[in-house]
Coordinates of all heavy atoms in Angstrom, one line a residue:
N1 N 26.2 -15.2 4.7 CA 27.4 -14.7 4.1 C 27.7 -13.3 4.7 O 26.9 -12.4 4.6 CB 27.2 -14.6 2.6 CG 28.4 -14.1 1.9 OD1 29.2 -13.2 2.4 ND2 28.6 -14.6 0.7
G2 N 28.8 -13.2 5.4 CA 29.2 -11.9 6.0 C 29.4 -10.8 5.0 O 29.3 -9.6 5.4
E3 N 29.7 -11.1 3.7 CA 29.9 -10.1 2.7 C 28.5 -9.3 2.4 O 28.5 -8.3 1.9 CB 30.4 -10.7 1.5 CG 31.8 -11.1 1.6 CD 32.4 -11.8 0.3 OE1 32.9 -11.0 -0.5 OE2 32.3 -13.0 0.2
I4 N 27.4 -9.9 2.8 CA 26.1 -9.3 2.6 C 25.5 -8.9 3.9 O 25.0 -7.8 4.1 CB 25.1 -10.3 1.9 CG1 25.7 -10.8 0.6 CG2 23.8 -9.7 1.8 CD1 26.0 -9.7 -0.4
V5 N 25.6 -9.7 4.9 CA 24.9 -9.5 6.2 C 25.5 -8.3 6.9 O 24.8 -7.4 7.5 CB 24.9 -10.7 7.1 CG1 24.3 -10.4 8.5 CG2 24.1 -11.9 6.4
I6 N 26.8 -8.2 7.0 CA 27.4 -7.1 7.7 C 27.1 -5.7 7.1 O 26.7 -4.8 7.7 CB 28.9 -7.3 7.9 CG1 29.1 -8.5 8.9 CG2 29.6 -6.1 8.4 CD1 30.5 -9.1 8.9
P7 N 27.3 -5.6 5.7 CA 26.8 -4.3 5.1 C 25.3 -4.1 5.3 O 24.9 -2.9 5.5 CB 27.2 -4.5 3.6 CG 28.3 -5.5 3.7 CD 28.0 -6.5 4.8
A8 N 24.5 -5.1 5.3 CA 23.1 -4.9 5.5 C 22.8 -4.4 6.9 O 22.0 -3.5 7.0 CB 22.3 -6.2 5.3
A9 N 23.6 -4.9 7.8 CA 23.4 -4.4 9.2 C 23.9 -2.9 9.3 O 23.2 -2.1 10.0 CB 24.2 -5.2 10.2
S10 N 24.9 -2.6 8.6 CA 25.4 -1.2 8.6 C 24.3 -0.2 7.9 O 24.1 0.9 8.4 CB 26.7 -1.0 7.8 OG 27.7 -1.7 8.5
L11 N 23.7 -0.7 6.9 CA 22.6 0.1 6.2 C 21.5 0.2 7.2 O 20.8 1.3 7.3 CB 22.2 -0.5 4.9 CG 23.2 -0.5 3.8 CD1 22.6 -1.4 2.6 CD2 23.5 0.9 3.3
W12 N 21.1 -0.8 7.9 CA 20.0 -0.8 8.9 C 20.3 0.2 10.0 O 19.5 1.0 10.3 CB 19.8 -2.2 9.5 CG 18.8 -2.3 10.5 CD1 17.4 -2.5 10.3 CD2 19.0 -2.1 11.9 NE1 16.8 -2.4 11.5 CE2 17.7 -2.2 12.5 CE3 20.1 -1.8 12.7 CZ2 17.5 -2.0 13.9 CZ3 19.9 -1.7 14.1 CH2 18.6 -1.8 14.7
A13 N 21.6 0.2 10.5 CA 21.9 1.1 11.5 C 21.9 2.6 11.0 O 21.4 3.5 11.7 CB 23.3 0.8 12.0
K14 N 22.3 2.8 9.8 CA 22.3 4.1 9.2 C 20.8 4.6 9.1 O 20.5 5.8 9.5 CB 22.9 4.1 7.8 CG 22.9 5.5 7.2 CD 23.6 5.4 5.8 CE 23.5 6.8 5.2 NZ 24.0 6.9 3.9
A15 N 20.0 3.7 8.6 CA 18.5 4.1 8.5 C 17.9 4.4 9.9 O 17.1 5.4 10.0 CB 17.8 3.0 7.8
Q16 N 18.3 3.6 10.9 CA 17.8 3.9 12.2 C 18.2 5.2 12.8 O 17.5 6.0 13.3 CB 18.2 2.7 13.2 CG 17.6 1.4 12.8 CD 16.1 1.4 13.0 OE1 15.5 1.9 13.9 NE2 15.4 0.7 12.0
I17 N 19.5 5.5 12.6 CA 20.1 6.7 13.1 C 19.5 7.9 12.5 O 19.2 8.9 13.1 CB 21.6 6.7 12.9 CG1 22.3 5.7 13.9 CG2 22.2 8.1 13.1 CD1 23.7 5.4 13.6
E18 N 19.2 7.8 11.1 CA 18.6 8.9 10.4 C 17.1 9.0 10.6 O 16.4 9.9 10.2 CB 18.8 8.7 8.9 CG 20.3 8.9 8.5 CD 20.5 8.6 7.1 OE1 19.6 8.1 6.4 OE2 21.7 8.8 6.6
G19 N 16.5 8.0 11.4 CA 15.1 8.0 11.6 C 14.3 7.7 10.4 O 13.1 8.1 10.3
K20 N 14.9 7.0 9.5 CA 14.2 6.6 8.2 C 14.2 5.1 8.0 O 14.6 4.6 6.9 CB 14.9 7.3 7.0 CG 14.8 8.8 7.1 CD 15.6 9.5 6.0 CE 15.5 11.0 6.1 NZ 16.2 11.6 5.0
S21 N 13.8 4.4 9.0 CA 13.7 2.9 8.9 C 12.9 2.5 7.7 O 11.9 3.1 7.4 CB 13.2 2.4 10.2 OG 13.1 1.0 10.1
T22 N 13.3 1.3 7.2 CA 12.5 0.8 6.1 C 11.6 -0.4 6.6 O 10.9 -1.0 5.8 CB 13.4 0.3 4.9 OG1 14.3 -0.7 5.5 CG2 14.2 1.5 4.3
A23 N 11.7 -0.7 7.9 CA 10.9 -1.8 8.5 C 10.8 -1.6 10.0 O 11.6 -0.8 10.5 CB 11.6 -3.1 8.2
P24 N 9.9 -2.2 10.6 CA 9.7 -2.1 12.1 C 11.1 -2.5 12.8 O 11.8 -3.3 12.2 CB 8.6 -3.1 12.4 CG 7.8 -3.2 11.2 CD 8.8 -3.1 10.1
L25 N 11.3 -1.9 13.9 CA 12.6 -2.0 14.6 C 13.1 -3.5 14.8 O 14.3 -3.7 14.5 CB 12.5 -1.4 16.0 CG 13.7 -1.4 16.8 CD1 14.9 -0.6 16.1 CD2 13.5 -0.7 18.2
H26 N 12.3 -4.4 15.1 CA 12.7 -5.8 15.4 C 12.4 -6.7 14.2 O 12.3 -7.9 14.4 CB 12.2 -6.3 16.7 CG 12.6 -5.4 17.8 ND1 13.9 -5.4 18.3 CD2 12.0 -4.6 18.6 CE1 14.0 -4.6 19.3 NE2 12.9 -4.1 19.5
S27 N 12.2 -6.2 13.0 CA 11.9 -7.0 11.9 C 13.1 -7.3 11.0 O 14.0 -6.4 11.0 CB 10.8 -6.3 11.0 OG 9.6 -6.2 11.7
L28 N 13.1 -8.4 10.3 CA 14.1 -8.7 9.3 C 13.9 -7.7 8.2 O 12.8 -7.6 7.7 CB 14.0 -10.1 8.8 CG 14.9 -10.5 7.7 CD1 16.4 -10.4 8.1 CD2 14.6 -11.9 7.2
D29 N 14.9 -6.9 7.8 CA 14.7 -5.9 6.8 C 15.2 -6.4 5.5 O 16.4 -6.1 5.1 CB 15.4 -4.6 7.2 CG 14.9 -3.4 6.5 OD1 14.4 -3.6 5.3 OD2 15.0 -2.3 6.9
I30 N 14.4 -7.0 4.7 CA 14.8 -7.6 3.5 C 15.2 -6.5 2.5 O 16.1 -6.8 1.6 CB 13.7 -8.5 2.9 CG1 14.3 -9.4 1.7 CG2 12.5 -7.7 2.4 CD1 15.3 -10.4 2.1
D31 N 14.6 -5.3 2.6 CA 15.0 -4.2 1.7 C 16.5 -4.0 1.8 O 17.2 -3.8 0.8 CB 14.3 -3.0 2.0 CG 12.8 -3.0 1.7 OD1 12.4 -3.9 0.9 OD2 12.0 -2.2 2.2
L32 N 17.0 -4.0 3.0 CA 18.4 -3.6 3.2 C 19.3 -4.8 2.8 O 20.5 -4.6 2.4 CB 18.7 -3.1 4.6 CG 17.9 -1.8 4.9 CD1 18.2 -1.4 6.3 CD2 18.2 -0.8 3.9
I33 N 18.8 -6.0 2.9 CA 19.6 -7.2 2.4 C 19.7 -7.1 0.9 O 20.8 -7.4 0.3 CB 19.0 -8.5 2.9 CG1 19.1 -8.6 4.4 CG2 19.6 -9.7 2.2 CD1 18.3 -9.7 5.1
I34 N 18.6 -6.7 0.2 CA 18.7 -6.5 -1.2 C 19.7 -5.4 -1.6 O 20.5 -5.6 -2.5 CB 17.3 -6.2 -1.7 CG1 16.4 -7.4 -1.6 CG2 17.3 -5.7 -3.2 CD1 14.9 -7.1 -1.8
C35 N 19.6 -4.3 -0.8 CA 20.6 -3.2 -1.1 C 22.0 -3.7 -0.9 O 22.9 -3.3 -1.7 CB 20.3 -2.0 -0.2 SG 18.7 -1.2 -0.6
A36 N 22.3 -4.4 0.2 CA 23.6 -4.8 0.4 C 24.1 -5.8 -0.7 O 25.3 -5.8 -1.1 CB 23.7 -5.5 1.8
T37 N 23.2 -6.6 -1.2 CA 23.5 -7.5 -2.2 C 23.9 -6.8 -3.5 O 24.9 -7.1 -4.2 CB 22.4 -8.5 -2.5 OG1 22.1 -9.2 -1.3 CG2 22.7 -9.5 -3.6
A38 N 23.1 -5.7 -3.8 CA 23.4 -4.9 -5.0 C 24.7 -4.2 -4.8 O 25.5 -4.1 -5.8 CB 22.3 -3.9 -5.2
L39 N 25.0 -3.7 -3.7 CA 26.3 -3.0 -3.4 C 27.5 -4.0 -3.6 O 28.5 -3.6 -4.1 CB 26.3 -2.3 -2.0 CG 25.4 -1.2 -1.9 CD1 25.3 -0.7 -0.5 CD2 25.8 0.0 -2.8
W40 N 27.3 -5.2 -3.1 CA 28.3 -6.2 -3.2 C 28.5 -6.6 -4.7 O 29.7 -6.7 -5.1 CB 27.9 -7.5 -2.4 CG 28.9 -8.6 -2.6 CD1 30.0 -8.8 -1.9 CD2 28.8 -9.7 -3.5 NE1 30.6 -9.9 -2.3 CE2 29.9 -10.5 -3.3 CE3 27.8 -10.1 -4.4 CZ2 30.1 -11.7 -4.0 CZ3 28.0 -11.3 -5.2 CH2 29.2 -12.0 -4.9
L41 N 27.5 -6.7 -5.5 CA 27.6 -7.0 -6.9 C 28.4 -5.8 -7.6 O 29.2 -6.1 -8.5 CB 26.2 -7.1 -7.5 CG 25.5 -8.5 -7.3 CD1 24.1 -8.4 -7.7 CD2 26.3 -9.6 -7.9
K42 N 28.1 -4.6 -7.2 CA 28.8 -3.5 -7.8 C 30.3 -3.5 -7.5 O 31.1 -3.2 -8.4 CB 28.1 -2.2 -7.3 CG 28.6 -0.9 -8.0 CD 27.8 0.3 -7.5 CE 28.3 1.5 -8.3 NZ 27.5 2.6 -8.0
Q43 N 30.6 -3.9 -6.3 CA 32.0 -4.0 -5.9 C 32.7 -5.2 -6.6 O 33.8 -5.1 -7.0 CB 32.1 -4.2 -4.4 CG 33.5 -4.4 -3.9 CD 33.5 -4.6 -2.4 OE1 32.6 -4.2 -1.7 NE2 34.6 -5.1 -1.9
E44 N 32.0 -6.3 -6.7 CA 32.5 -7.5 -7.4 C 32.7 -7.4 -8.9 O 33.6 -8.0 -9.5 CB 31.6 -8.7 -7.1 CG 31.7 -9.3 -5.7 CD 33.1 -9.9 -5.4 OE1 33.5 -10.8 -6.2 OE2 33.7 -9.4 -4.4
Y45 N 31.9 -6.5 -9.5 CA 32.0 -6.3 -10.9 C 32.1 -4.8 -11.3 O 31.2 -4.2 -11.8 CB 30.7 -6.9 -11.6 CG 30.5 -8.4 -11.3 CD1 29.7 -8.8 -10.3 CD2 31.2 -9.3 -12.1 CE1 29.6 -10.2 -10.0 CE2 31.1 -10.7 -11.8 CZ 30.3 -11.1 -10.8 OH 30.1 -12.4 -10.5
P46 N 33.3 -4.3 -11.0 CA 33.5 -2.9 -11.2 C 33.3 -2.5 -12.7 O 33.6 -3.3 -13.6 CB 35.0 -2.6 -10.8 CG 35.6 -4.0 -10.5 CD 34.5 -5.0 -10.5
G47 N 32.8 -1.3 -12.9 CA 32.5 -0.9 -14.2 C 31.2 -1.3 -14.8 O 30.8 -0.8 -15.8
R48 N 30.5 -2.2 -14.1 CA 29.2 -2.7 -14.6 C 28.1 -1.9 -13.8 O 28.3 -1.7 -12.6 CB 29.0 -4.1 -14.4 CG 29.9 -4.9 -15.3 CD 29.4 -6.3 -15.5 NE 30.1 -7.0 -16.5 CZ 29.9 -8.3 -16.7 NH1 29.0 -8.9 -16.1 NH2 30.6 -8.8 -17.7
E49 N 27.1 -1.6 -14.4 CA 26.0 -0.9 -13.8 C 25.1 -2.0 -13.1 O 24.7 -3.0 -13.7 CB 25.2 -0.1 -14.8 CG 24.1 0.7 -14.2 CD 23.4 1.6 -15.2 OE1 23.6 1.4 -16.4 OE2 22.7 2.5 -14.7
V50 N 24.7 -1.7 -11.8 CA 23.8 -2.6 -11.1 C 22.5 -1.9 -10.9 O 22.5 -0.8 -10.3 CB 24.5 -3.1 -9.8 CG1 23.5 -3.9 -9.0 CG2 25.8 -3.8 -10.0
I51 N 21.5 -2.4 -11.4 CA 20.2 -1.8 -11.3 C 19.2 -2.8 -10.6 O 19.2 -4.0 -11.1 CB 19.6 -1.4 -12.6 CG1 20.5 -0.4 -13.4 CG2 18.2 -0.8 -12.5 CD1 20.1 -0.2 -14.8
T52 N 18.6 -2.4 -9.6 CA 17.6 -3.3 -8.9 C 16.2 -2.9 -9.4 O 15.8 -1.8 -9.3 CB 17.7 -3.1 -7.4 OG1 19.1 -3.5 -7.0 CG2 16.7 -4.1 -6.7
V53 N 15.5 -3.9 -9.9 CA 14.2 -3.7 -10.5 C 13.2 -4.1 -9.4 O 13.3 -5.3 -8.9 CB 14.0 -4.5 -11.8 CG1 12.6 -4.3 -12.3 CG2 15.0 -4.1 -12.8
T54 N 12.3 -3.3 -9.0 CA 11.4 -3.5 -7.8 C 10.1 -2.8 -7.9 O 9.9 -2.0 -8.8 CB 12.2 -3.0 -6.6 OG1 11.4 -3.2 -5.4 CG2 12.5 -1.5 -6.7
T55 N 9.2 -3.1 -7.0 CA 8.0 -2.3 -6.8 C 8.2 -1.4 -5.6 O 7.2 -0.7 -5.2 CB 6.8 -3.2 -6.7 OG1 7.0 -4.0 -5.5 CG2 6.5 -4.0 -7.9
N56 N 9.3 -1.4 -5.0 CA 9.6 -0.7 -3.8 C 10.7 0.3 -3.9 O 11.7 0.3 -3.2 CB 9.9 -1.6 -2.6 CG 9.9 -1.0 -1.3 OD1 9.5 0.2 -1.1 ND2 10.3 -1.7 -0.2
V57 N 10.6 1.2 -4.9 CA 11.7 2.1 -5.2 C 11.9 3.1 -4.0 O 13.1 3.4 -3.8 CB 11.3 2.9 -6.5 CG1 12.3 4.0 -6.7 CG2 11.3 2.0 -7.7
K58 N 10.9 3.4 -3.3 CA 11.0 4.4 -2.2 C 12.1 4.0 -1.2 O 12.9 4.8 -0.9 CB 9.7 4.6 -1.6 CG 9.7 5.6 -0.4 CD 8.3 5.7 0.3 CE 8.4 6.6 1.5 NZ 7.2 6.7 2.2
H59 N 12.0 2.8 -0.8 CA 13.0 2.3 0.3 C 14.4 2.0 -0.3 O 15.4 2.4 0.2 CB 12.5 1.1 1.0 CG 11.3 1.4 1.9 ND1 10.5 0.4 2.4 CD2 10.9 2.5 2.4 CE1 9.6 0.9 3.2 NE2 9.8 2.2 3.2
L60 N 14.4 1.3 -1.5 CA 15.7 0.9 -2.0 C 16.5 2.0 -2.6 O 17.7 2.0 -2.5 CB 15.4 -0.2 -3.0 CG 15.3 -1.7 -2.5 CD1 14.2 -1.8 -1.5 CD2 15.2 -2.6 -3.6
S61 N 15.8 3.0 -3.3 CA 16.6 4.0 -4.0 C 17.3 4.9 -3.0 O 18.2 5.7 -3.5 CB 15.6 4.8 -4.9 OG 14.7 5.5 -4.1
R62 N 17.1 4.9 -1.7 CA 17.9 5.6 -0.8 C 19.3 5.1 -0.7 O 20.2 5.9 -0.3 CB 17.3 5.6 0.6 CG 16.0 6.3 0.7 CD 15.3 6.2 2.0 NE 16.2 6.3 3.1 CZ 16.1 5.6 4.2 NH1 15.1 4.7 4.3 NH2 16.9 5.7 5.2
F63 N 19.6 3.9 -1.1 CA 20.9 3.3 -1.0 C 21.5 2.8 -2.3 O 22.7 2.6 -2.4 CB 20.8 2.1 0.0 CG 20.3 2.4 1.4 CD1 19.0 2.2 1.7 CD2 21.1 3.1 2.3 CE1 18.5 2.5 2.9 CE2 20.6 3.4 3.5 CZ 19.3 3.1 3.9
I64 N 20.6 2.4 -3.3 CA 21.1 1.9 -4.5 C 20.3 2.4 -5.7 O 19.3 3.1 -5.5 CB 21.0 0.3 -4.5 CG1 19.5 -0.1 -4.3 CG2 21.9 -0.3 -3.4 CD1 19.3 -1.6 -4.4
N65 N 20.8 2.0 -6.9 CA 20.1 2.4 -8.1 C 18.9 1.4 -8.3 O 19.1 0.3 -8.6 CB 21.0 2.3 -9.3 CG 20.4 2.8 -10.6 OD1 19.2 3.3 -10.6 ND2 21.1 2.7 -11.7
A66 N 17.7 1.9 -8.0 CA 16.5 1.1 -8.1 C 15.5 1.8 -9.0 O 15.3 3.0 -9.0 CB 15.9 0.9 -6.7
V67 N 14.8 0.9 -9.8 CA 13.8 1.5 -10.7 C 12.5 0.6 -10.6 O 12.6 -0.6 -10.3 CB 14.3 1.5 -12.2 CG1 15.5 2.4 -12.4 CG2 14.6 0.1 -12.7
E68 N 11.4 1.2 -10.9 CA 10.1 0.6 -10.9 C 10.1 -0.5 -12.0 O 10.6 -0.2 -13.2 CB 9.0 1.6 -11.2 CG 7.6 1.0 -11.1 CD 7.2 0.8 -9.6 OE1 7.6 1.5 -8.7 OE2 6.5 -0.2 -9.4
W69 N 9.7 -1.7 -11.7 CA 9.8 -2.8 -12.7 C 9.0 -2.5 -13.9 O 9.4 -2.9 -15.0 CB 9.3 -4.1 -12.1 CG 7.8 -4.2 -11.9 CD1 7.1 -3.8 -10.8 CD2 6.8 -4.6 -12.8 NE1 5.7 -4.0 -11.0 CE2 5.5 -4.5 -12.2 CE3 6.9 -5.2 -14.1 CZ2 4.4 -4.9 -12.9 CZ3 5.7 -5.5 -14.7 CH2 4.5 -5.4 -14.1
S70 N 7.9 -1.7 -13.8 CA 7.1 -1.4 -15.0 C 7.8 -0.4 -15.9 O 7.3 -0.2 -17.1 CB 5.7 -0.8 -14.6 OG 5.9 0.3 -13.8
D71 N 8.9 0.2 -15.5 CA 9.6 1.1 -16.3 C 10.7 0.5 -17.1 O 11.4 1.1 -17.9 CB 10.3 2.3 -15.5 CG 9.2 3.2 -14.8 OD1 8.1 3.2 -15.4 OD2 9.5 3.8 -13.8
V72 N 10.9 -0.8 -16.9 CA 12.0 -1.6 -17.6 C 11.5 -2.2 -18.9 O 10.4 -2.7 -19.0 CB 12.6 -2.6 -16.7 CG1 13.6 -3.5 -17.4 CG2 13.2 -2.0 -15.5

């Protein structure tokens, strides 16, 4: 789905430019696909809070609202 993949690629490029990659250079970066999905949900459902529950807050919280699953 281009609504997810293209924004994920943009987040990947931004992370690479900033020197703060979330995965090795030639790896599929699932963290950024998750972030792009959360951003899409936020856009599709304006006014609703989108929170991603994860064990990887460090990488995801740079782009989206992410919380440690044990805190929920």
Side-chain angles (χ1 to χ4, degrees):
N1 181 326
E3 292 179 85
I4 303 298
V5 175
I6 292 170
S10 295
L11 292 173
W12 178 88
K14 179 180 178 182
Q16 293 297 321
I17 290 167
E18 293 175 353
K20 297 179 180 177
S21 177
T22 60
L25 182 59
H26 298 291
S27 296
L28 174 64
D29 197 337
I30 194 67
D31 292 341
L32 297 182
I33 294 170
I34 292 168
C35 290
T37 302
L39 293 171
W40 177 81
L41 286 168
K42 189 173 182 173
Q43 179 180 338
E44 285 294 304
Y45 301 96
R48 292 202 173 175
E49 186 174 13
V50 176
I51 301 170
T52 302
V53 180
T54 181
T55 59
N56 191 9
V57 172
K58 179 181 177 185
H59 287 165
L60 276 58
S61 66
R62 291 180 36 221
F63 302 101
I64 59 173
N65 185 3
V67 297
E68 187 74 35
W69 74 269
S70 59
D71 294 339
V72 175

